[in-house]
């Protein structure tokens, strides 16, 4: 997987509590069939063994479709299943430590919660920044103040990195976020809780492609 | 640190909720000054960053006294702070995965909750087994059925590994566990919650040395 060719357009971040009782593996495969370009597996309360077992299963799917698998927070799980990369937030391991352990080939994304965070990240060789959150969301309760469309635009104007926006994104507001400078949209409930995760992905991807023109 | 020369006699497993409001770093240093021979840092609810920051501080102390630092469960934290080893339970990463990532020099301990677990572990190149729990304990609520002194004796009779007993151990029952075949005792509340963690360690170590004669 060549890091330069990565497509961040439609980035699914998983949340097992939002699948409406459906198997997460089903959601992931449907999302990929609908055009999702990256998968981030996020597990905040399972044991290491349960996270590892799940990640192995998810990796079979992402390998089948040649979609990058990014692990949230847990560098050990990323190493254990040989995932494509790691996403770290401001309360996870320091970026420099993660990079030194994972090496230059790993995709590493870093959440930024302010323009200052994005400025601080400009000297780092991160692969992308997660702008978090763009809008307020019920999915994650420990988030910072929403940055809004204006925040995406501000970060775009000062950052050299690829930008993925997350938080409260849906079909309606997707166009504005891409036009403000995001390279991709990260979605949780808009796909995990959709009646059809495949159709939701198709609709979102169509909107993203249109907005990028 | 030569793995063959490790002294498992008095093995402190930390629990920040049991320090009676005292700084964990104080407890650890006092325990070492009282004769504790190994430290296992266990954090079950802190963020990765908080665990990492704490582990860095603990490592300064263990390095100062040349005491091995073992990280509970989180292989990523063990790598990030270059700890001496990792302790894994039955709901953590598989042993073989942990060993392949950490390499042959790392100290890796594995919890066993039955004679069968110990038999299964006999073909593995683990450095020690944690017999868990010997007695019932309030420290950890998700434990298996207590194995008792008899369980320690049974595991000793079939295992080739070093054995560290954990769970409900105190000065009173320490002698019987060593005499049943344990190479060391792992303690949580008996040190973390002691009026004087240093004196508690001194008393326990004295008892252990006497019992081994």
């Amino acid at each position: 997987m060549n890091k330069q060719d990565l497509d961040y357009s439609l980035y699914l971040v998983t949340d097992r509590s939002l699948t409406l009782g459906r198997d997460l593996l089903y959601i992931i495969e449907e999302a990929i069939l609908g055009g999702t370009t990256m998968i981030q597996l996020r597990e905040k309360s399972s044991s290491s063994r349960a996270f590892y077992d799940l990640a192995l299963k998810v990796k079979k799917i992402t390998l089948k479709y040649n979609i990058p698998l990014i692990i949230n927070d847990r560098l050990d799980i990323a190493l254990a299943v040989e995932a494509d990369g790691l996403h770290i937030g401001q309360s996870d391991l320091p970026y420099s430590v993660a990079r030194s352990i994972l090496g230059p080939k790993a995709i590493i994304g870093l959440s930024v919660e302010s323009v200052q965070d994005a400025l601080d990240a400009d000297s780092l060789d991160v692969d992308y920044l997660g702008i978090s959150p763009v809008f307020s969301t019920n999915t994650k309760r420990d988030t910072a103040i929403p940055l809004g469309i204006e925040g995406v635009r501000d970060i775009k104007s000062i950052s050299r990195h690829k930008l993925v926006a997350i938080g409260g994104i849906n079909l309606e507001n997707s166009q504005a976020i891409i036009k403000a400078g995001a390279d991709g949209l990260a979605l949780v409930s808009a796909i995990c809780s959709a009646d059809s995760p495949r159709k939701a992905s198709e609709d979102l991807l169509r909107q993203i492609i249109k907005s990028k023109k």
Side-chain angles (χ1 to χ4, degrees), chain A residues 40-211:
Chain A
Q40 179 182 138
L41 186 62
R42 184 171 67 177
E43 288 286 310
K44 282 300 187 190
S45 54
S46 51
S47 71
S48 296
R49 177 64 70 97
F51 196 168
Y52 169 77
D53 288 342
L54 177 64
L56 278 184
K57 290 178 189 159
V58 173
K59 203 196 165 190
K60 278 193 184 168
I61 300 174
T62 57
L63 264 182
K64 179 176 165 190
Y65 296 101
N66 196 30
I67 295 290
L69 171 61
I70 309 296
I71 301 293
N72 180 284
D73 179 13
R74 293 290 299 268
L75 185 148
D76 47 356
I77 306 296
L79 281 174
V81 305
E82 298 179 37
D84 302 288
L86 180 71
H87 184 90
I88 50 185
Q90 298 286 327
S91 60
D92 302 338
L93 283 177
Y95 171 76
S96 58
V97 172
R99 176 61 76 193
S100 78
I101 295 173
L102 291 175
K105 286 182 184 170
I107 303 162
I108 307 185
L110 179 66
S111 291
V112 293
E113 300 175 348
S114 64
V115 172
Q116 188 57 53
D117 283 349
L119 281 169
D120 293 344
D122 225 44
S123 61
L124 306 176
D125 57 343
V126 296
D127 295 292
Y128 71 91
L129 299 180
I131 302 178
S132 169
V134 180
F135 301 115
S136 67
T137 166
N138 291 323
T139 303
K140 231 182 143 207
R141 291 196 199 92
D142 58 341
T143 49
I145 301 162
L147 290 154
I149 301 285
E150 198 57 42
V152 176
R153 199 173 288 126
D154 291 347
I155 289 174
K156 177 68 184 176
S157 72
I158 59 94
S159 181
R160 67 186 178 95
H161 294 303
K162 294 276 184 185
L163 303 176
V164 177
I166 190 167
I169 301 176
N170 54 39
L171 195 60
E172 286 64 45
N173 59 31
S174 58
Q175 190 162 19
I177 304 169
I178 294 292
K179 289 205 179 294
D183 298 284
L185 305 182
L187 296 122
V188 190
S189 59
I191 292 177
C192 288
S193 304
D195 285 343
S196 166
R198 189 194 299 214
K199 183 169 182 307
S201 301
E202 287 169 351
D203 293 345
L204 283 157
L205 186 62
R206 198 177 305 116
Q207 189 76 285
I208 292 165
I209 290 170
K210 204 168 73 180
S211 309

Side-chain angles (χ1 to χ4, degrees), chain A residues 10-15 18-20 22 26-32 34-39 169-170 185-202 204-205 208:
Chain A
L10 186 54
Y11 188 158
L12 170 62
V13 178
T14 67
D15 188 328
L18 294 174
T19 63
L20 312 179
R22 297 168 296 184
Y26 161 82
I27 304 280
I28 290 171
E29 185 152 18
E30 285 293 299
I32 292 173
T36 290
T37 59
M38 288 186 92
I39 302 289
I169 301 176
N170 54 39
L185 305 182
L187 296 122
V188 190
S189 59
I191 292 177
C192 288
S193 304
D195 285 343
S196 166
R198 189 194 299 214
K199 183 169 182 307
S201 301
E202 287 169 351
L204 283 157
L205 186 62
I208 292 165

